[in-house]
């Protein structure tokens, strides 16, 4: 979309300009978006806030309305980290929503008895709802328990109910206890499901539920919180992944790492980020997710931040990260 020279020279009222430009970007084609982004004026060094806003507007315009490429084959990613509170669930639901908003068909499998992913997606998961428990323990078909997420087209969820808390123990005595989820996914594939991406949200432990996820997928997606103890426990997770790779699933590997709750004001966040990037240069996504109140507020409204506040820094970061994952998956 051509932008008049007078527009470019105009003294920038960045907040209103940003909103209008983003609105325009939603209707713009790829090339137009590049032109629009280039047209955002860059304030001088004396206004750091203005510069940040201009930069984030530019990124937002480039990302908004982009259609993500479909993967070569449907991808299944297990979102795991045995530490609690590192952003597994937040990452699962927001990456899934960002992908669905960008044209992909996405299924979230909630494998945490707490059902936080189901809650965040606004999915009914009271005790009587058919759920992942029925799939794992009763052998019910996965597609029978899937529900659509009403706020995002193309996004679906297999919910977790409180029953799942018992599954960890009930599974022990069942045949093929480590591969029940894998069987269910294989059966769904054989029945011709249309999901491009399946993201499995794991509980904060390395028990049978997490093992089932790792047997059912070839890719592990690890969210790492940018805090001091971030790398502690990671070696345990990697050891477990190696064990499962050796005995149950030779294709298993860590494909994706996302830095979450990044706080640009602290040296600690930067140090942790640098260390993780040095250890895992190809796995870590370039985008990192900032600590943001909007991200943590969204679940209490049964929404992801992608619909709760799509123009927030957290939504933008998740959109950027989802785009990177999709681009990687589209390479043959
Ligand atoms: P996990 O699933 O690993 O236990 P959660 O995704 O539930 O972790 O996140 C733990 C807490 O941190 C939640 O209260 C969540 O809202 C909050 N949180 C996650 N990501 C962010 C973020 N980028 N900014 C602020 N709060 C966040
Ligand atoms: Mg969780």
């Amino acid at each position: 979309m051509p932008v008049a020279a007078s527009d470019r020279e105009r003294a920038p009222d960045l907040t209103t300009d940003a909103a209008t430009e983003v609105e325009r970007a939603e209707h713009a084609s790829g090339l137009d978006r590049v032109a629009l982004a280039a047209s955002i004026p860059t304030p001088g060094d004396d206004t750091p806030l203005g510069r940040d806003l201009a930069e984030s507007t530019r990124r937002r315009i480039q990302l908004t309305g982009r259609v993500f490429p479909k993967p070569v084959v449907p991808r299944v990613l297990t979102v795991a980290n045995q530490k609690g509170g590192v952003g597994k669930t937040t990452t699962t639901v927001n990456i899934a929503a960002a992908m669905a908003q960008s044209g992909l068909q996405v299924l979230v499998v909630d494998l945490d008895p707490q059902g936080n992913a189901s809650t965040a997606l606004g999915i009914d998961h009271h005790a009587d709802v058919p759920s992942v428990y029925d799939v794992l323990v009763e052998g019910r078909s996965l597609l029978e328990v899937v529900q659509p997420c009403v706020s995002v087209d193309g996004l679906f969820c297999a919910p977790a109910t409180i029953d799942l808390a018992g599954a960890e123990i009930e599974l022990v005595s069942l045949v093929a206890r480590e591969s029940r989820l894998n069987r269910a996914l294989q059966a769904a594939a054989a029945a011709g499901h249309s999901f491009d991406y399946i993201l499995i949200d794991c509980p904060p432990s390395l028990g049978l539920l997490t093992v089932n996820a790792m047997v059912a997928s070839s890719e592990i997606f690890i969210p790492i919180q940018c805090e001091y103890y971030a790398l502690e426990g990671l070696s345990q997770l990697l050891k477990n992944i190696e064990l499962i790779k050796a005995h149950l699933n030779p294709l298993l590997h860590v494909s994706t790492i996302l830095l979450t709750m990044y706080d640009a004001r602290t040296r600690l966040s930067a140090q942790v980020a640098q260390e993780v990037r040095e250890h895992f240069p190809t796995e870590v996504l370039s985008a990192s997710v900032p600590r943001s109140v909007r991200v943590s507020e969204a679940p209490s409204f049964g929404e992801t931040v992608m619909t709760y506040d799509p123009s927030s820094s957290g939504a933008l970061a998740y959109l950027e990260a989802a785009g990177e994952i999709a681009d990687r998956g589209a390479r043959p």
Side-chain angles (χ1 to χ4, degrees):
M1 183 180 295
V3 178
S6 58
D7 274 358
R8 246 173 272 154
E9 284 150 19
R10 189 158 39 98
D13 167 6
L14 281 168
T15 14
T16 22
D17 279 6
T20 336
E21 298 297 348
V22 170
E23 241 168 57
R24 273 202 245 165
E26 275 170 17
H27 304 287
S29 72
L31 270 179
D32 290 342
R33 271 199 299 278
V34 174
L36 260 177
S39 76
I40 301 295
T42 305
D45 287 339
D46 52 336
T47 57
L49 271 179
R51 285 185 78 91
D52 284 358
L53 192 52
E55 178 52 32
S56 97
T57 305
R58 219 173 271 129
R59 282 168 60 209
R60 205 172 289 157
I61 288 171
Q62 280 164 348
L63 290 164
T64 311
R66 199 188 136 205
V67 175
F68 290 172
K70 283 184 181 291
V72 181
V73 288
R75 285 171 75 190
V76 184
L77 286 89
T78 287
V79 183
N81 188 331
Q82 81 275 28
K83 278 188 78 169
V86 297
K88 286 182 291 297
T89 301
T90 308
T91 295
T92 306
V93 299
N94 287 302
I95 292 285
M99 286 177 159
Q101 285 179 332
S102 304
L104 299 172
Q105 296 282 312
V106 188
L107 172 65
V108 168
V109 176
D110 190 350
L111 215 54
D112 186 342
Q114 293 187 65
N116 294 152
S118 311
T119 304
L121 295 173
I123 301 287
D124 190 8
H125 64 113
H126 63 79
D128 298 332
V129 169
S131 72
V132 168
Y133 171 87
D134 302 287
V135 175
L136 291 177
V137 178
E138 312 287 354
R140 193 161 179 172
S141 138
L142 179 71
L143 296 177
E144 271 177 38
V145 310
V146 166
Q147 296 183 41
C149 169
V150 289
S151 54
V152 182
D153 278 348
L155 180 55
F156 300 83
C157 176
T161 58
I162 193 67
D163 293 343
L164 199 57
E168 196 87 61
I169 294 161
E170 287 174 64
L171 279 170
V172 173
S173 58
L174 295 183
V175 183
R177 59 189 177 184
E178 296 98 351
S179 51
R180 313 226 8 139
L181 182 62
N182 188 36
R183 286 185 178 188
L185 287 187
Q186 303 271 349
H193 77 64
S194 56
F195 303 117
D196 299 307
Y197 279 83
I198 296 175
L199 301 180
I200 307 171
D201 185 30
C202 288
S205 67
L206 295 167
L208 266 178
L209 289 171
T210 301
V211 170
N212 260 275
M214 290 184 180
V215 173
S217 58
S218 56
E219 300 185 49
I220 305 283
F221 178 0
I222 309 178
I224 295 184
Q225 189 181 358
C226 294
E227 298 226 322
Y228 186 63
Y229 297 112
L231 296 176
E232 221 171 71
L234 197 58
S235 56
Q236 188 58 45
L237 174 62
L238 296 176
K239 237 182 257 166
N240 276 52
I241 292 170
E242 283 310 310
L243 271 176
I244 290 169
K245 183 183 161 103
H247 297 288
L248 294 165
N249 181 5
L251 297 175
L252 192 67
H253 65 288
V254 176
S255 70
T256 313
I257 295 177
L258 178 64
L259 298 165
T260 65
M261 296 184 235
Y262 186 85
D263 187 344
R265 293 165 305 178
T266 66
R267 284 251 293 281
L268 182 61
S269 265
Q271 277 167 3
V272 171
Q274 190 190 348
E275 200 171 330
V276 175
R277 287 188 194 282
E278 274 166 16
H279 272 83
F280 303 97
T282 53
E283 294 85 355
V284 184
L285 300 173
S286 321
S288 51
V289 181
R291 195 172 269 288
S292 142
V293 175
R294 309 301 270 168
V295 170
S296 56
E297 280 173 355
S300 53
F301 296 89
E303 283 188 56
T304 67
V305 78
M306 307 311 299
T307 54
Y308 176 64
D309 189 355
S311 62
S312 63
S313 60
L316 186 58
Y318 272 119
L319 186 57
E320 205 163 11
E324 278 185 66
I325 298 172
D327 286 340
R328 288 181 180 187
R331 281 184 219 131

